[in-house]
Amino acid sequence: MKIFCGRANPTTGAVEWVEEDEHYDYHQEIARSSYADMLHDTDRNEKYYMGIRAAVRRVKARGQKAIVLDIGTGTGLLSMMAVTAGADFCYGIEVFKPMADVAEKIVEKNGFSAKIKIINKHSTEVRVGPDGDMKGRANILITELFDTELIGEGALPSYEHAHKHLVQEEWEAVPHRATVYAQVVESKRMWSWNKLLPLRVLCKARNREISILPFSAMEKCPGAPSVYDIQINQVPQSDFKPLSDVISMFSLDFSKHVSSNLASHNVLFKPVTSGKTQVILSWWDIDMDPSGTIKCTMEPYWVSSTPHKTLWRDHWMQCVYFPPEEESIVQGESMCLTAHHDDYCLWYSIQRVRDGEDGNLPVAAVERPICKCQAHMLWNRSRFGELNDQQRMDQYMRALEKVLNPTSVCLCISDGSLLPVLAHCLGVDQVFTVEISSVSHGLMEKIFRANRLEDKIKVIEKRPELLTPVDLEHKKVSVLIGEPFFTTSLLPWHNLYFWYARTAVDGHLINNATILPQSASLYTMVVEFKDLWRIRSPCGTCEGFDVSAMDEMIKHSLNFRESQEAEPHPLWEYPCRSLSDPEKVMTFDFRQVVPEQVLSTEGSLKLIRDGDAHGAVLWMEYHLTEEISVNTGLLQILNEKGDCHWNPHRKQAVYFFRSILEPATVSSCPTDVTYSIEFNPKKGELAMNYKFLV
């Protein structure tokens, strides 16, 4: 059996369906999941264990057998905890078959097969009865169905069904309840992740300031329907101003019937200071027992009583929500924050409270945010932040000033780029820009129209290789520009699609045409992560249970392909230290067409700092001109410890060393890490390998 998976093709700039081996899901999806992170979450595991033991004791105190239903059992860890705590039998439900197979191996290896039954079904398909999946209903319900947004993995429908069909009339729940919290803040940085803001760029060539404005529908758009989940603990307090205290929005009691219907929860508050309502930060905690003495919390550092000891988790982070429009509020005035949710999503709205409404405020009917301007359909949060980066735009303006003049014929190839606006403002009358999709075409025309440039910039809705002289009005291009940025790119080198597009339009360029950027360099560096390494680290035993079958799966995955694959991660969210100096390992010259031969390089990175070498980071730097470059990776090594400052708008590539999975492979401290990197022009991909020298 073959499986087809979507993958970015850097040579075409498109997502294509690629035929994978039948074991693809088994080797790739689980290895790339958060299971290892969860198993390493000691606080989570300990709190679940305490809650499960307490629930079993309560059931036994009533003179009943403890029959456990564990929905989303994963590795079977919570089921094994239940049996160890004295449960008489446990049903572990896992819908993903490869994971269910692993759970069965782990349960068997730990000697629990007689008391734990793994059921490979969705919980809503489980049947109870003599011939069913479960012989009888359970009286203890254990779940780990939560994501960063709490309900995004379908917790509410699963609970609703379980309460009606799978548990007894009286049941214990672990967790017992969940509570959602919110805080209203003003943050210029976070607001820049949500809207295209007015940009003002200084044009020295024409001695004037250029303004680039969004169109009105974009300014009022409700935004993306999905939550923005990030490691909010990496955002310094200087980047936001709290406008409210922390607000407890609502709780869900899992020991009672739960509804997945649309609901809203009003909470009145008075702003602690005046400002603009730009962001609602949100998180949750769970009580493992009815008394709330066993608590697992996602609270950020500025809320915690021990801010320097906040726990790191990647499977549960914090949420950033945006109101449709920013609104000025005044300290002390009466406001209402409303949390809305359906069966899978959560969103917020804010309204003023008139005199006399304080005690009986009607729930505001606010629909789930859906993008109406099309920008949120094309640009992710990081892209909005990148387009709003004033310093970055100034760099592009300085570079364009060096290569453009009024007689230039300019062609831009980049998804949703503002460079054509800058080119026209520099006096270029012949500006063409390529947009591959009709949605992107429509979006850019709206932006150009808002800036009265609809007749000045011609948008061509075609793939670059399909351009004809007619599209370019029979003119030869003298300056080809790009950021480069393409929405299908996942890894840093995927934006080398610009090189392939440049090659495709070579016949439309004049001799010695200017290409901006003129080249790109690939950099690499060995790092020690503060926490990110945990997502690929072996678990071995967890709370005394052998879960090494999970490690075997991840190890098998990393050996599945000919070489390890790098993974995209936004490293501004994941602190790390450089253990080597950054090194330029490969350069791609856009002034020449893509070569036919493979590009390869070898070298070594000398370790100049002590630490655990968890992996190598790779990133691209684009050389716009000889003097001006844009770095998408390491911006600065901050101190002698090697702490790193990363570009916040792009993801970097992380190549985890096998020594994370096989610590015994490094018998003594390494002094160097050797690398071999190969770029295959036919596939547009990098193959890489790193080895320790001791």
Side-chain angles (χ1 to χ4, degrees):
M1 181 181 69
K2 294 293 183 180
I3 297 171
F4 291 89
C5 301
R7 284 201 165 205
N9 184 337
T11 67
T12 64
V15 174
E16 299 177 351
W17 292 103
V18 179
E19 190 176 68
E20 294 283 0
D21 184 273
E22 63 181 321
H23 297 298
Y24 170 80
D25 281 347
Y26 184 86
H27 293 107
Q28 295 298 103
E29 295 302 328
I30 293 179
R32 301 294 192 216
S33 69
S34 296
Y35 283 109
D37 175 36
M38 289 187 287
L39 293 173
H40 279 294
D41 189 343
T42 303
D43 178 74
R44 163 194 176 272
N45 299 335
E46 289 178 349
K47 299 293 176 58
Y48 261 101
Y49 210 169
M50 293 168 65
I52 290 169
R53 287 199 300 263
V56 171
R57 284 197 299 267
R58 292 195 297 273
V59 169
K60 294 285 188 178
R62 296 197 291 263
Q64 301 174 345
K65 286 187 174 182
I67 308 300
V68 174
L69 173 61
D70 175 12
I71 299 179
T73 193
T75 60
L77 176 64
L78 301 185
S79 293
M80 293 189 294
M81 287 180 177
V83 172
T84 303
D88 295 278
F89 198 82
C90 183
Y91 297 98
I93 300 176
E94 176 55 53
V95 66
F96 187 37
K97 187 177 188 310
M99 197 67 242
D101 293 342
V102 172
E104 285 191 338
K105 291 179 182 178
I106 292 175
V107 166
E108 181 180 3
K109 192 168 186 177
N110 285 274
F112 292 108
S113 295
K115 287 196 171 184
I116 297 176
K117 179 183 179 181
I118 302 297
I119 303 171
N120 177 213
K121 285 186 176 181
H122 193 283
S123 64
T124 57
E125 298 174 344
V126 170
R127 298 292 175 260
V128 179
D131 299 323
D133 306 296
M134 299 171 59
K135 298 303 180 184
R137 293 191 178 212
N139 53 15
I140 298 177
L141 176 59
I142 301 173
T143 59
E144 212 285 52
L145 300 171
F146 314 117
D147 65 351
T148 294
E149 201 174 18
L150 183 68
I151 63 174
E153 291 185 0
L156 293 181
S158 296
Y159 270 116
E160 188 173 38
H161 178 270
H163 291 165
K164 290 180 180 178
H165 303 287
L166 304 179
V167 298
Q168 300 172 15
E169 290 186 4
E170 183 182 14
W171 71 87
E172 301 289 337
V174 182
H176 182 81
R177 76 175 65 83
T179 303
V180 174
Y181 301 90
Q183 188 171 27
V184 183
V185 305
E186 175 182 299
S187 173
K188 182 178 180 181
R189 179 186 177 187
M190 286 187 268
W191 186 244
S192 75
W193 299 338
N194 182 53
K195 302 282 187 180
L196 181 62
L197 306 177
L199 287 169
R200 290 173 175 81
V201 185
L202 179 62
C203 175
K204 293 182 180 178
R206 305 186 73 179
N207 194 29
R208 68 185 181 92
E209 192 176 68
I210 298 167
S211 295
I212 304 176
L213 304 174
F215 54 93
S216 59
M218 182 182 289
E219 293 181 292
K220 299 177 182 179
C221 182
S226 58
V227 65
Y228 189 26
D229 53 340
I230 65 170
Q231 294 283 0
I232 200 69
N233 286 322
Q234 298 308 313
V235 177
Q237 274 191 282
S238 58
D239 275 3
F240 63 93
K241 178 174 70 173
L243 302 184
S244 75
D245 292 323
V246 175
I247 303 170
S248 177
M249 295 305 303
F250 66 94
S251 293
L252 297 170
D253 188 336
F254 301 127
S255 68
K256 299 177 182 178
H257 287 280
V258 169
S259 172
S260 62
N261 292 334
L262 182 69
S264 297
H265 307 271
N266 281 344
V267 180
L268 299 175
F269 75 97
K270 292 182 182 295
V272 296
T273 188
S274 301
K276 295 181 179 179
T277 58
Q278 295 176 324
V279 179
I280 297 99
L281 302 178
S282 185
W283 61 91
W284 50 265
D285 61 29
I286 45 179
D287 294 320
M288 297 297 183
D289 63 329
S291 66
T293 57
I294 309 170
K295 188 181 295 290
C296 190
T297 180
M298 282 0 96
E299 64 185 12
Y301 67 89
W302 65 89
V303 176
S304 173
S305 58
T306 55
H308 300 296
K309 297 181 180 179
T310 52
L311 298 170
W312 184 84
R313 296 182 172 97
D314 205 46
H315 56 106
W316 294 330
M317 295 185 278
Q318 293 83 31
C319 301
V320 178
Y321 296 92
F322 302 96
E325 296 181 80
E326 61 181 1
E327 186 176 352
S328 295
I329 59 174
V330 178
Q331 180 179 356
E333 72 174 331
S334 296
M335 303 293 297
C336 179
L337 181 64
T338 305
H340 313 263
H341 71 80
D342 54 21
D343 49 352
Y344 281 89
C345 294
L346 184 68
W347 63 97
Y348 287 89
S349 63
I350 302 176
Q351 60 179 320
R352 282 185 167 80
V353 179
R354 292 191 290 255
D355 293 339
E357 288 184 331
D358 289 33
N360 189 27
L361 185 71
V363 174
V366 176
E367 296 180 352
R368 177 183 171 189
I370 297 177
C371 175
K372 297 178 181 179
C373 72
Q374 298 183 318
H376 301 89
M377 298 167 58
L378 289 169
W379 300 335
N380 59 24
R381 304 297 190 185
S382 299
R383 179 58 173 168
F384 275 104
E386 185 172 61
L387 290 172
N388 288 317
D389 187 332
Q390 186 72 57
Q391 184 178 6
R392 176 179 175 275
M393 291 299 290
D394 288 340
Q395 285 180 288
Y396 278 99
M397 174 58 87
R398 288 195 298 115
L400 290 172
E401 284 180 317
K402 291 179 177 293
V403 302
L404 291 175
N405 60 65
T407 62
S408 298
V409 177
C410 183
L411 173 64
C412 178
I413 300 180
S414 252
D415 287 351
S417 179
L418 298 178
L419 296 191
V421 179
L422 300 186
H424 176 77
C425 292
L426 284 168
V428 180
D429 289 329
Q430 301 293 324
V431 182
F432 302 90
T433 184
V434 171
E435 296 293 343
I436 295 174
S437 75
S438 59
V439 175
S440 185
H441 180 176
L443 171 64
M444 297 314 297
E445 284 200 330
K446 291 176 185 176
I447 293 175
F448 298 154
R449 193 176 303 119
N451 290 275
R452 300 179 180 178
L453 298 174
E454 64 270 26
D455 298 326
K456 308 296 184 181
I457 301 172
K458 181 179 179 181
V459 184
I460 305 170
E461 187 185 324
K462 274 189 177 180
R463 299 193 60 80
E465 63 270 18
L466 300 179
L467 284 178
T468 68
V470 174
D471 297 319
L472 298 172
E473 299 175 358
H474 299 283
K475 296 180 175 66
K476 287 284 188 176
V477 174
S478 59
V479 183
L480 175 66
I481 62 175
E483 300 187 35
F485 170 83
F486 301 98
T487 56
T488 56
S489 298
L490 300 176
L491 291 160
W493 47 89
H494 287 174
N495 284 311
L496 287 176
Y497 171 61
F498 178 78
W499 200 9
Y500 291 88
R502 175 260 181 272
T503 302
V505 301
D506 188 59
H508 299 291
L509 307 180
I510 66 170
N511 292 333
N512 299 317
T514 298
I515 313 295
L516 186 154
Q518 62 183 23
S519 62
S521 295
L522 177 70
Y523 284 80
T524 190
M525 182 175 70
V526 178
V527 301
E528 175 189 63
F529 287 108
K530 181 181 178 182
D531 295 297
L532 187 62
W533 62 273
R534 301 175 192 275
I535 68 174
R536 300 290 171 261
S537 179
C539 303
T541 60
C542 182
E543 298 301 318
F545 302 104
D546 186 342
V547 293
S548 57
M550 188 72 208
D551 299 335
E552 293 171 7
M553 171 176 293
I554 297 175
K555 179 181 175 182
H556 196 168
S557 169
L558 296 179
N559 290 320
F560 183 52
R561 299 189 183 278
E562 291 182 5
S563 64
Q564 274 183 274
E565 291 186 339
E567 307 173 17
H569 291 284
L571 292 188
W572 75 268
E573 296 184 50
Y574 303 103
C576 64
R577 297 171 52 241
S578 66
L579 300 187
S580 74
D581 286 329
E583 182 164 322
K584 183 191 298 185
V585 294
M586 194 173 284
T587 296
F588 310 92
D589 189 349
F590 300 152
R591 292 166 295 189
Q592 307 297 322
V593 298
V594 176
E596 295 183 1
Q597 69 273 18
V598 170
L599 305 179
S600 61
T601 184
E602 294 182 350
S604 63
L605 300 167
K606 184 174 181 59
L607 301 183
I608 59 175
R609 295 183 180 89
D610 293 334
D612 295 326
H614 293 135
V617 180
L618 301 98
W619 67 93
M620 301 290 287
E621 181 173 326
Y622 294 98
H623 310 296
L624 306 184
T625 65
E626 293 290 345
E627 303 85 11
I628 303 172
S629 296
V630 174
N631 195 332
T632 66
L634 180 69
L635 299 181
Q636 186 181 4
I637 295 178
L638 298 171
N639 49 41
E640 292 183 356
K641 295 179 181 179
D643 294 331
C644 299
H645 175 41
W646 297 96
N647 184 312
H649 309 312
R650 299 281 181 106
K651 290 183 179 181
Q652 292 74 40
V654 178
Y655 179 103
F656 288 105
F657 294 152
R658 280 191 171 85
S659 59
I660 293 180
L661 293 173
E662 301 171 337
T665 58
V666 183
S667 57
S668 60
C669 295
T671 58
D672 292 85
V673 175
T674 65
Y675 61 83
S676 59
I677 298 174
E678 184 176 276
F679 176 72
N680 185 334
K682 291 184 179 179
K683 296 182 178 180
E685 285 290 359
L686 288 182
M688 64 200 75
N689 192 27
Y690 290 78
K691 293 181 180 179
F692 289 108
L693 286 180
V694 295

